[in-house]
Structures are given as structure tokens and as C-alpha cells.
Amino acid sequence: MIPPIARLMFRHLLSGPATLKTRLAPNDAAVSELAARLEGAAKARLGRSLAIRAVDAGSCNGCELEIHAVNNPVYDLERFGLRFVASPRHADVLLVTGPVSANLAEALHRTWTATPDPKWVVAMGDCARDGGCFAGSYAVLGGVDKVVPVDLHIPGCPPTPLQLLTGLLALLDHAA
Amino acid sequence: MDASIALLDFLKIGQPVPDARPWPRFVLDGKSWRHMVERMEHCAWVLLAEWGEADAVHVLLRDEANGAIAIATRDCHDGRFFSVSLARPGAIRLERAIRDLCGLAPEGLEDHRHWLDHGRWSERRPLAATPQEAAKAAYSYRFLPAEGEGLHQIPVGPIHAGIIEPGHFRFHASGETVVRLEERLGYTHKGIAKLVMGKPIADAARIVARVSGDSTVAYSFAFARAVEAATGCEVPLRAVWLRALMAEIERVANHLFDIGAICNDAAFGIMLAHMGRLRERLLNANEHLFGHRLAMDRIVPGGVAVDVDDIALESLAYLLSNLRKRFERAVTLYDETPSLLDRTNGTGIVPSWIVHRFAAGGFVGRASSRGHDARRVPGYPPYDVLDFPIPVHSDGDVHARLMVRVEEVRASLDLIATLAADLPSGPVQADVPGKAGEGTALVESFRGEVAVWVRVDAEGRVLACHPHDPSWFQWPLLEGAVEGNIVADFPLCNKSFNCSYSGADL
Ligand code: SF4
């Protein structure tokens, strides 16, 4: 008997990759924001590859869903040399979501400290920019830049996988 | 004394509150409240939610015998109330949260530790009439001890290795085996109950939609229904059906991801890739139908924010048949892979009695014989005219929780097909009347029963609101499920529960 996994894989081989065929260009707005900040610093240190560590700083978990989505075969982040790692010590980039809850602020800062230089911080989602609809709460600091310096904002609630991808590509172009 | 008495008969000892809809609310004094807690030991009154205000504590109860639902309120001007946790262990964390937020003291609650308050907020007791100033320093937390030869502790979190929400897990292990797991949550607390106070209904709806992003449709649905109950708003039929369409798409999308992720945690990555593709198609369909991949903010009080066009509906029908075929292939793959089944069978067992004791819902409850579903009981439109099965398993292990999801995906795909095919025509939004009142709603999210209680004034502002996440009653069971399993199986058990951090931290 042919095992089912062989059947499934064979089918995938025949049908070709599920990956999005559109050419993706780095997001323009993100490019100008980054250019202003980085000015070519640290280029060529890393090659065309970045290791990303996701940190949830009190998000509603909507942003996490889209981070998972860019890892699926359709968007397939890894083809660009971007990959998610398990420890900040292995990371070049911290991808931070959420309005930064007071209860997590210290953990976020420690994560940042544990990340080796050179490092970049990407604030993902509207609430990572300024607290979004949670701004003003006693339990929320209101934005990632209240705790660690931010190099790039990716807007959206949550940002779509394409917004996330093009934002990260902009970072890749400038940083790596 | 007659041990069992109907909930509504008993609550007559309190004062009914006018304008509480659709279920009544009764204010009890200290003595009758205590009486009620004592009664709960003998009566099948299910605790659905418990929350506090500046000087009151509310419990939302359902009588299993006749399905009646009611809210009981204890006016606590003296700052104390008799703890419900003595009869319902699910209330323990809820009451620790009430103490942190409102400063009301639950009498008889044995656990004196803080829950949501870590000593880091800009004010303490934020919901009390007069909040206190911030704590001087963050509190330390005393984890429950486990003693024995060769035991060691493994602290995990709040920042985890994967792409998941923050929380702390403290394991006591003997070699490979978990002796005790204790959770410490609250890291994503955003102060939602206070944020929505005084906000216009539309603004509050946006916040409640973000209590837990994966259940955003369910929360918007519940909030809208609560507001509509409070104001007596009639929702057009087409909007009601569109709401259910969004809710079922959300259910399937989440279940697909969970099934893939559970298998992935058993080192079977192809399933995650396969399910990820299927899920992506649904989110794409959401984008085409409703203009947002998660259908966030698309359900609003009074109806829905967008109408769908027929072309998008037609392509949905085409997508469904394709999706079903591919889904069944993946299920066959799961069924016929013994190495995978070996990991999921017999792992992370939750006994049925404990599920009933905590009144845990969703796939956690239904995998351990508790076949409750808010779409059926109390039921709400349009589900009252739809036919759908509620799968129930009894093994209570990871496999059972996965299979409940598989069967729910099938049922929901059928529902989506029906909802799309028979969609009534007409308007999709009605005006919300400017009327003061209180409303409560129960909606079945993919994870279980979401409860929202809201009080609005005649100017269309929210005076108070409490969204209750099903995870409150599921998180404690995870601690039990992991006991006796190896540490390496924790991710598998955790994923099979997939509780919401944000939803329970609020
Ligand atoms: S940006 Fe939106 S989706 Fe992302 S965490 Fe904030 S509220 Fe949730």
C-alpha cells in the first residue's frame, strides 16, 4: 500500500508550489523611514539573511495570527532569507506586537538587552505604534518605543501578511 | 431543606433590576448571597462568568435543569463578599482578579496571591471608586511548592520560544515527568474593563473586538447582541445570517490552524503546511467577502458593517467543495500515521468530572463528555433554525480534542454552505435606539462560550462592560492535564487546549 503521506507529497510535487507568485517589492514608506534611521550602517555584516524573534508585548493575538501566516507555504518568508528563531540571543531583529502592557515591559526590555548588536526593532501593528485603541489605559505603556528604540513601524490592525513581508523586505535591503 | 430548587425561584429572594435583558438580574444582600453559594453545592447551577464593579460583584448562572439564565448581584458597600470559589473552583482566579481590579475582598477564598496585578500598573485597584496609587515595586510571586527527592523546577516564560502569547509556566519535574505545573498569567492585561467605560458604543465595540484577536468575530457578535438586548434593537435578518457566516468561517479557520499546529508539535510539520494553505484560502475569502482577513469590526451593534456581493458568495461555494476535499485528505493522513497517533493518544488526559466541575466549554469540554454549545443552549439566531451536530468525545486526551475540532470543521463547512446559499435579502443594518439598559449575550466562539455583559445609557455610551473568555475555565484544567506527562509533551498538550492569554488577561 502507498502510505498516505507519500500520496500527499506526490500530489504537492505535481501541483507545484503554493507560494505566491507576485513579485514583492519593499514597502516604499518603510524604505524611507528606514533610510533615515540607518544610513547604510551595519550593511554587509549579515549577508542577505536576518533572524527574527517575535515578542508579544500584550497584543490581542491578532498580529500573531498574521505572523504565523507569513510562515505558511503561501507567503513563505524563509525564501527571502528571513526566519524566526527561538531565542533573542540568536536574533538580529525583534518583531514586537502589542501596546506594551505594563506587566510585560520589563520582559521586553530584557529580551532586547539579550539580543546581540547590531539589532533592529520592528513594531508591528497599530497598537505597537502608540497603543492603538488601548492607549491611555493604566495597564499599557502605549507603544514599543516607550521601552526600546524602534527602527520600523508596520501599520495595520493586524498588518496583512503582504504588509508584513514588504516591511521586512525593506529592512532586509537596508540592514543586510 | 429541599436541596434542589430552580435558579429563578431561588433568586426571587433578591430585588429584580429593571431594564436587564434578556435575562433577569437580581440584587442580593450578604445573607442571601451566602445562601446562594451554599445552595450551589447541591444545585446544578453552572457558573458562566463572575466579575466586579466598584461596589458590586456579579455572577452569571445557568440552571442545567431547565436552561434558565440569570445574573445575581451582591452589593458590596462593605467591600466584601462571600467567595463563590467554595462551591465552584472555576471562580478562584476570577475572584483573585476581582480583588486586584476592584479591591473587593472574597471571604473564604484561600488563595491570597495577586492574579492580574503584578505591581506594575500606574494605579492599583483601577475599578474601585477611588483607585490607589501605583505599587512601589513589582510584587514577587510565591509559586505553590512541590516537595520530594530529586524534584527540580523549570521556569518557562513569560517570553516563550515560539510565536505565542506571553505567560509564565512553572514546572516541578521528577526527571522527565511533570509533577506539578502552575501557570502565572496576566502579562497581557490591558485594562479593557476600564478603557470601555464612558466610551461611545462604536468605540467600545472596537475595543471588545480586540479582547482576543483569534475570536474577534465571536466577541463582536456577543458585544453587539448584548447592546441590542439592552437597547431593544431589532437586527435585520440578512445581518443575522451574515454574522453567523463570519462566525463559522472564523471557527473553521482557527480549527484548521490548531489541527496543523498540534501535529506540528508532534513533529509532523507537513500537516501545518497543508492546513496553513487551507486556512489561507478562508482568510482570503474573508477579505473578498467582508474586506478584512479576520473580519475584524465587521459585526457592529445593529447589524453588520458590510454587505456581501453575489460574486464573492459564488466563489465561496466553489472554494468550499475544494477545501472539503483537501481537508479530508489531511484527516486520512492523520488517521493513517501511527507514529503521530502514538503521540496524541493518551496524552494530556482531562477527566470528565473535572470538566464538569469547572464548566469548561469548547473542544476542551466536548472532548471530555461535556457536550455544551451556546449555539444550541441557550441558542441564538440564526442557529435556532439551523441544523448542526455537536460532536462529543469522552477520552479527554489530545487526540479527542483534535477529533472534536475535525468534526466541528465538517459541521461548520456545511453550515457555511447553507448560510451562503440561503442568505436572505434585505438591509444589513438598523439604528441602535438611544435607550438606557443592561444586556447580556452568550456566543459560541471556536474556543467555547464567550459572555458579554454591558450597561449603556440613553446617550449611547457604555457605562460598564465585562467580556468573559472561555479560557478562564480551561487554563486551570491544563495544569491538571499535564501532570504525569513528560515535559516534552507540554507543547502538545498546550496547543491542544490553545487557551487565549489575551482573552483571560483582559
Ligand atoms: S494591532 Fe490590532 S491585531 Fe495587532 S495586536 Fe493590536 S489590536 Fe491586535
Side-chain angles (χ1 to χ4, degrees):
Chain A
M1 190 191 90
I2 311 169
I5 186 159
R7 257 182 275 147
L8 200 78
M9 284 176 143
F10 191 60
R11 230 180 226 122
H12 285 181
L13 282 178
L14 286 182
S15 64
T19 319
L20 211 68
K21 305 244 170 22
T22 16
R23 272 186 64 88
L24 292 177
N27 179 312
D28 284 342
V31 167
S32 45
E33 183 181 355
L34 274 171
R37 281 199 68 97
L38 294 172
E39 293 180 2
K43 256 192 193 174
R45 280 219 198 159
L46 302 150
R48 266 196 78 87
S49 165
L50 286 179
I52 307 169
R53 170 68 249 212
V55 181
D56 175 337
S59 91
C60 77
N61 80 28
C63 279
E64 276 60 38
L65 294 178
E66 296 299 38
I67 300 181
H68 282 296
V70 292
N71 276 310
N72 75 23
V74 179
Y75 299 104
D76 192 16
L77 180 86
E78 295 208 9
R79 67 193 152 128
F80 300 108
L82 298 159
R83 71 207 151 85
F84 282 88
V85 291
S87 164
R89 297 193 195 283
H90 305 158
D92 309 307
V93 179
L94 293 183
L95 179 64
V96 189
T97 59
V100 187
S101 57
N103 287 349
L104 202 85
E106 186 191 340
L108 171 61
H109 193 265
R110 284 205 210 172
T111 308
W112 184 77
T113 320
T115 312
D117 283 321
K119 59 189 162 199
W120 292 270
V121 176
V122 178
M124 172 185 181
D126 289 346
C127 53
R129 177 183 278 275
D130 57 6
C133 62
F134 305 113
S137 165
Y138 62 88
V140 157
L141 299 193
V144 176
D145 58 6
K146 298 280 185 313
V147 182
V148 294
V150 174
D151 297 290
L152 172 67
H153 287 106
I154 300 179
C157 182
T160 62
L162 283 182
Q163 283 173 306
L164 183 55
L165 264 183
T166 49
L168 290 174
L169 286 182
L171 185 69
L172 193 64
D173 272 6
H174 276 81
Chain B
M1 162 171 112
D2 177 15
S4 101
I5 170 170
L7 176 66
L8 290 181
D9 288 339
F10 175 82
L11 287 178
K12 285 202 187 106
I13 57 171
Q15 280 294 324
V17 176
D19 290 336
R21 283 178 296 259
W23 302 303
R25 179 161 79 87
F26 298 90
V27 180
L28 309 185
D29 59 18
K31 204 162 135 239
S32 353
W33 174 273
R34 186 180 179 132
H35 203 123
M36 176 191 77
V37 176
E38 283 160 2
R39 281 285 178 145
M40 283 168 91
E41 310 222 13
H42 311 284
C43 299
W45 300 346
V46 178
L47 177 71
L48 298 174
E50 183 178 5
W51 68 99
E53 288 188 82
D55 48 17
V57 169
H58 310 278
V59 284
L60 177 63
L61 298 170
R62 185 182 56 235
D63 190 340
E64 286 283 61
N66 58 14
I69 295 175
I71 299 176
T73 298
R74 159 89 157 95
D75 256 327
C76 335
H77 291 291
D78 48 354
R80 288 177 288 170
F81 63 100
F82 191 70
S83 170
V84 177
S85 71
L86 298 170
R88 295 286 180 273
I92 296 175
R93 287 180 181 175
L94 290 165
E95 292 184 351
R96 288 169 69 188
I98 291 172
R99 189 170 49 204
D100 282 354
L101 294 173
C102 314
L104 304 172
E107 289 176 312
L109 178 66
E110 280 176 19
D111 200 329
H112 293 287
R113 298 171 298 171
H114 290 283
W115 181 244
L116 296 179
D117 184 3
H118 293 191
R120 297 171 186 273
W121 300 339
S122 63
E123 60 187 10
R124 279 183 298 151
R125 303 181 171 178
L127 295 185
T130 43
Q132 296 181 329
E133 61 190 48
K136 298 262 178 315
Y139 312 138
S140 62
Y141 194 78
R142 205 167 24 79
F143 284 95
L144 300 175
E147 280 164 18
E149 210 181 321
L151 287 191
H152 60 282
Q153 284 192 28
I154 312 174
V156 179
I159 310 265
H160 296 155
I163 303 167
I164 55 170
E165 300 176 73
H168 184 92
F169 298 112
R170 183 64 59 101
F171 295 92
H172 280 88
S174 163
E176 285 261 42
T177 313
V178 178
V179 175
R180 161 178 265 157
L181 161 66
E182 197 186 349
E183 298 149 359
R184 187 193 186 194
L185 305 176
Y187 291 93
T188 68
H189 178 77
K190 295 180 268 294
I192 286 173
K194 186 155 184 174
L195 267 175
V196 294
M197 280 183 182
K199 290 249 160 53
I201 287 174
D203 293 1
R206 278 181 59 85
I207 298 176
V208 175
R210 286 158 180 79
V211 168
S212 181
D214 51 12
S215 315
T216 176
V217 171
Y219 271 99
S220 296
F221 201 163
F223 181 77
R225 280 187 56 77
V227 169
E228 287 147 11
T231 56
C233 174
E234 284 287 337
V235 183
L237 197 57
R238 185 174 173 89
V240 171
W241 281 58
L242 285 175
R243 286 175 173 187
L245 184 59
M246 295 183 210
E248 294 311 316
I249 293 180
E250 177 177 90
R251 195 181 319 281
V252 176
N254 280 310
H255 280 345
L256 288 179
F257 181 68
D258 279 359
I259 294 168
I262 293 170
C263 295
N264 189 52
D265 276 340
F268 201 68
I270 190 172
M271 204 69 146
L272 182 63
H274 192 80
M275 291 298 176
R277 275 182 74 180
L278 301 187
R279 178 171 188 277
E280 191 55 37
R281 291 173 169 229
L282 273 180
L283 298 192
N284 250 326
N286 256 348
E287 171 87 49
H288 284 301
L289 286 162
F290 309 112
H292 191 286
R293 286 165 50 87
L294 306 176
M296 226 172 212
D297 304 322
R298 293 312 186 256
I299 297 182
V300 291
V304 294
V306 283
D307 200 355
V308 298
D309 61 52
D310 291 341
I311 304 171
L313 278 178
E314 252 172 56
S315 52
L316 179 68
Y318 170 74
L319 181 146
L320 279 182
S321 64
N322 190 291
L323 197 89
R324 215 181 253 127
K325 204 165 63 199
R326 287 167 187 260
F327 176 70
E328 290 307 333
R329 268 184 213 145
V331 177
T332 318
L333 175 60
Y334 173 79
D335 272 340
E336 294 179 10
T337 308
S339 59
L340 183 56
L341 291 173
D342 189 50
R343 292 288 304 276
T344 56
N345 273 287
T347 306
I349 296 176
V350 184
S352 161
W353 67 267
I354 202 165
V355 159
H356 282 91
R357 187 117 170 86
F358 278 80
F363 35 77
V364 174
R366 290 195 278 275
S368 300
S369 312
R370 186 171 182 268
H372 180 75
D373 190 317
R375 290 175 295 171
R376 189 69 61 74
V377 182
Y380 48 94
Y383 295 103
D384 44 359
V385 295
L386 295 168
D387 203 21
F388 56 96
I390 296 172
V392 181
H393 284 242
S394 59
D395 290 341
D397 55 2
V398 173
H399 173 72
R401 285 188 284 279
L402 191 141
M403 287 318 287
V404 168
R405 286 176 169 101
V406 167
E407 287 162 35
E408 285 185 17
V409 168
R410 290 182 184 136
S412 292
L413 287 176
D414 288 345
L415 274 177
I416 294 172
T418 314
L419 287 163
D422 300 347
L423 191 65
S425 54
V428 293
Q429 209 172 358
D431 286 335
V432 179
K435 197 157 154 279
E438 276 180 37
T440 315
L442 291 165
V443 162
E444 189 75 14
S445 74
F446 83 103
R447 194 178 266 129
E449 205 167 18
V450 165
V452 170
W453 169 85
V454 69
R455 182 188 291 138
V456 294
D457 68 8
E459 276 82 58
R461 273 190 312 248
V462 171
L463 297 178
C465 174
H466 176 77
H468 173 92
D469 197 90
S471 303
W472 279 106
F473 300 146
Q474 296 168 344
W475 272 120
L477 306 194
L478 177 63
E479 292 183 350
V482 174
E483 213 175 286
N485 288 264
I486 57 173
V487 178
D489 271 344
F490 173 69
L492 190 61
C493 297
N494 190 17
K495 196 70 225 178
S496 76
F497 271 68
N498 189 20
C499 299
S500 173
Y501 299 69
S502 183
D505 288 349
L506 270 184

